Amino acid sequence: MSGPTDWALDDDEELLIKRSFANRAVRSPLVALTRVRNEAAILLDTLDHVAEFADEIIVYDDASHDGTFDIAWAHPSVAGVVRNRRWRDSMEERLLSETRHRGLLLNIAKQHFAARWFFCFDADERYIGDIRNFVRSSWADRLAAVRVRLFDAYITETDSAPYVEGHSLLNFRKYFGPEYRDIRMLWKDNGTDRYSGLDAREPIVDGDEEVLFYCQHYGKSLSIEQWDATCEYYVKYFPYEPYGKKWAARKGKAVHIRSDFGASLYPWGGELFGRAIPVT
């Protein structure tokens, strides 16, 4: 497998660009990037949600076998898809892939789409805030990047029903942990922005940035089954420290009374934000 800074397509990867988006001369205010695998249950809702503020979306499909590619390719806001046909399952390859796939998408966006801003998202996230108007504002002109404050949603005893395909994921769960991460998800194309290292969610961006928007993260709370599958994924494919040990201890404990960090849970809103605790 290519290294994390090699942005050429591998033999198992194919770039597909829709004719309606190819060779467009107009510079798009915002192009969104995502890497997905077997996200068919939530992907249509995800793409509809992101399309509310993104002008174009580029998807990396990492060897899905559940209809993810068809959903992505059919969506009117998806401009292109990288289709990877071979799943690489070693720990080293998974750590490389986290960075390389996002860097490849960024390189494709710069080569084929005239974006002013980029937004990197995951399928299990929902965003609160007027991102569309921000990237068109004079405020955006003064910043190089924006961090989004992410809170985890939790399954609780009174709210344990699984997510049902076709429903809106935004506000799906009632309770969230107060722990947050400020993740650089939105940044300007300035010629030096790039992905580097292993397991990189955030790009390296030079310049001023602020925390401006919120994110509801459902990676721990789509269903009890999905929780246990997530635990198994990190135990199997990622190093024991810091990933495997933490997730092995969480298996079978999808239903929460308190957060994974031992804090009280709160409904989405002012009390949650007022009690917010930063985590690394």
Side-chain angles (χ1 to χ4, degrees):
M1 182 181 182
S2 302
T5 57
D6 183 354
W7 309 133
L9 291 168
D10 282 346
D11 292 340
D12 300 301
E13 296 170 329
E14 179 184 12
L15 171 60
L16 304 169
I17 297 177
K18 290 182 181 177
R19 181 177 301 176
S20 57
F21 288 95
N23 301 318
R24 292 181 63 181
V26 178
R27 186 172 174 84
S28 297
L30 177 58
V31 172
L33 317 170
T34 189
R35 58 182 301 272
V36 294
R37 173 174 165 82
N38 294 335
E39 298 284 8
I42 62 173
L43 186 58
L44 179 58
D45 182 66
T46 299
L47 296 174
D48 286 345
H49 173 68
V50 173
E52 293 177 1
F53 57 85
D55 300 281
E56 294 155 2
I57 302 171
I58 308 173
V59 177
Y60 187 104
D61 176 27
D62 195 5
S64 296
H65 49 74
D66 68 343
T68 289
F69 170 80
D70 293 332
I71 293 170
W73 185 246
H75 197 276
S77 292
V78 171
V81 178
V82 177
R83 190 172 194 180
N84 177 33
R85 300 182 183 276
R86 184 165 72 89
W87 169 252
R88 297 170 171 86
D89 60 2
S90 74
M91 287 187 180
E92 180 183 6
E93 288 172 324
R94 295 324 310 154
L95 291 171
L96 284 169
S97 294
E98 293 287 328
T99 303
R100 181 181 171 275
H101 294 171
R102 295 184 178 105
L104 180 62
L105 288 173
L106 179 59
N107 190 53
I108 289 168
K110 290 185 176 187
Q111 284 189 350
H112 297 279
F113 302 93
R116 184 165 181 258
W117 285 82
F118 300 109
F119 185 86
C120 183
F121 68 97
D122 286 348
D124 55 14
E125 298 170 345
R126 295 297 179 268
Y127 310 101
I128 291 89
D130 194 354
I131 299 173
R132 175 172 287 277
N133 282 327
F134 164 77
V135 298
R136 293 164 169 79
S137 70
S138 58
W139 188 4
D141 292 337
R142 299 192 294 270
L143 294 176
V146 171
R147 290 184 177 272
V148 179
R149 183 153 294 180
L150 181 149
F151 293 89
D152 290 326
Y154 284 93
I155 298 170
T156 60
E157 292 179 347
T158 59
D159 182 28
S160 61
Y163 172 78
V164 177
E165 185 175 350
H167 288 66
S168 174
L169 188 57
L170 182 64
N171 297 319
F172 168 58
R173 290 295 179 202
K174 297 176 182 178
Y175 295 101
F176 297 79
E179 301 84 8
Y180 70 83
R181 289 165 285 159
D182 289 336
I183 300 177
R184 185 183 297 120
M185 298 186 188
L186 179 64
W187 71 96
K188 191 180 295 180
D189 179 13
N190 62 11
T192 62
D193 50 311
R194 63 204 183 276
Y195 279 92
S196 182
L198 300 177
D199 189 27
R201 166 68 196 264
E202 300 177 349
I204 297 171
V205 179
D206 301 322
D208 294 334
E209 62 183 8
E210 295 183 18
V211 180
L212 296 181
F213 306 109
Y214 289 111
C215 173
Q216 297 178 353
H217 176 233
Y218 289 96
K220 300 179 177 182
S221 59
L222 291 175
S223 68
I224 293 174
E225 180 183 25
Q226 180 261 354
W227 169 277
D228 285 337
T230 299
C231 293
E232 292 175 1
Y233 174 79
Y234 281 105
V235 170
K236 183 176 181 180
Y237 295 120
F238 282 74
Y240 188 69
E241 293 285 358
Y243 302 98
K245 180 180 180 180
K246 176 175 64 177
W247 285 98
R250 291 173 174 175
K251 189 172 181 181
K253 300 177 182 178
V255 179
H256 287 69
I257 298 175
R258 303 179 72 84
S259 76
D260 284 337
F261 303 89
S264 297
L265 303 177
Y266 302 94
W268 187 262
E271 186 175 12
L272 173 70
F273 306 149
R275 297 179 180 271
I277 304 167
V279 295
T280 56

